Amino acid sequence: MRIPFIAGNWKMFKTVQEAVVFTKELRSIMRDVSDVEIVVAPTFTAVHAVAEALRNANIGVAAQDVYWEREGAFTGEISAGMIKEAGAEYVIVGHSERRRLFGETDRTVNRKIVAAIGAGLTPIVCVGETLEERERGETPAVLDRQIKDGLDTLTADQVAELVIAYEPVWAIGTGQNATAAQAEESHLHIRQRLGQWFGGNAADHCHVIYGGSVKPDNIAELVREPDVDGALVGGASLDVRAFAEIVTRSRPSAI
């Protein structure tokens, strides 16, 4: 029912020219892949150019953030409608770096999700605990709060179309990775909560993907878990061959 979903978050890397060169090479390598949903998330300045380079391709484009207002005196912000017009289909919301460095809360995440859906974008919603929260045994409670407050007011049908990225904060950019069993435990918890709060159809259809030092050598073990539907890839997505290998190793035929 859910085919693997692999997204590359380029963060604040790659100029427009570098992004287009990467994209064209990735498009060529991935041209015959139809059993994995592939998405790349360039910086705002490169969204339109990357979308043009991927026109009619089997690779989607995401923005890395969004503001919840349609327009107004919000210097430096980008609306969902602007992102959609630039050619993106997805938007990352609530990444741990946005929460930690820029003070985003579950409330602001919720407003961004609602705005994105209203503009026809699919949110990739990030949730996950810090090392301190995990060590205190608070992972389930943190996930419950982030899901409950972040998805507040959404309908079951809207939740079914979401992508939720479980990213243990302690495993992002550290080289430390949750084991496949640890990832599955949290993914199963998320899916069970979705079923409890939004119904079985939403839980069955919503992609729940893993983000946290994903590399070619650990992706296969992760996606073998029944509730791990793919990955939000950080550093490894900046190298076209490494990212392509992650996609290839996540294909159902390779597992």
Side-chain angles (χ1 to χ4, degrees), residues 226-242:
D227 292 288
V228 179
D229 300 324
L232 179 61
V233 186
S237 73
L238 298 173
D239 180 276
V240 68
R241 296 290 171 177

Side-chain angles (χ1 to χ4, degrees), residues 9-217:
N9 178 16
W10 296 351
K11 306 188 180 184
M12 201 175 73
F13 292 96
K14 297 190 184 301
T15 64
V16 174
Q17 181 180 5
E18 290 167 343
V20 169
V21 169
F22 177 104
T23 298
K24 288 180 177 178
E25 184 174 358
L26 182 67
R27 176 174 182 160
S28 177
I29 297 171
M30 298 281 95
R31 63 184 178 274
D32 296 325
V33 175
S34 60
D35 54 356
V36 178
E37 292 186 51
I38 311 167
V39 174
V40 293
T43 60
F44 280 132
T45 55
V47 167
H48 180 67
V50 168
E52 287 297 302
L54 290 174
R55 186 181 292 274
N56 299 321
N58 57 339
I59 302 172
V61 181
Q64 296 178 17
D65 189 27
V66 64
Y67 193 59
W68 57 81
E69 296 289 356
R70 185 175 64 85
E71 59 183 12
F74 307 105
T75 301
E77 295 296 337
I78 309 291
S79 74
M82 294 170 181
I83 290 170
K84 180 75 171 178
E85 183 186 40
E89 305 159 74
Y90 303 86
V91 60
I92 299 171
V93 179
H95 192 281
S96 63
E97 291 163 357
R98 299 295 314 176
R99 296 177 189 258
R100 176 172 54 88
L101 298 176
F102 303 102
E104 292 198 6
T105 65
D106 295 328
R107 173 59 180 156
T108 60
V109 167
N110 175 254
R111 296 179 76 177
K112 291 182 176 189
I113 292 170
V114 171
I117 292 172
L121 296 168
T122 298
I124 301 172
V125 183
C126 299
V127 298
E129 80 284 6
T130 65
L131 179 60
E132 293 77 14
E133 289 166 337
R134 170 167 279 273
E135 289 178 340
R136 292 195 298 264
E138 297 174 358
T139 297
V142 170
L143 294 176
D144 286 354
R145 186 197 75 237
Q146 291 175 335
I147 295 167
K148 190 179 180 80
D149 294 347
L151 307 188
D152 186 40
T153 75
L154 268 62
T155 67
D157 288 344
Q158 289 171 331
V159 171
E161 297 301 317
L162 292 179
V163 179
I164 295 180
Y166 168 64
E167 44 165 27
V169 181
W170 48 272
I172 298 173
T174 63
Q176 185 177 2
N177 188 60
T179 65
Q182 287 173 322
E184 170 62 17
E185 182 180 30
S186 292
H187 282 233
L188 177 60
H189 180 85
I190 291 168
R191 203 175 302 283
Q192 287 174 335
R193 283 293 185 258
L194 294 177
Q196 178 182 347
W197 293 333
F198 297 98
N201 185 68
D204 288 342
H205 283 83
C206 180
H207 279 87
V208 184
I209 63 176
Y210 174 78
S213 297
V214 176
K215 297 177 175 62
D217 60 4

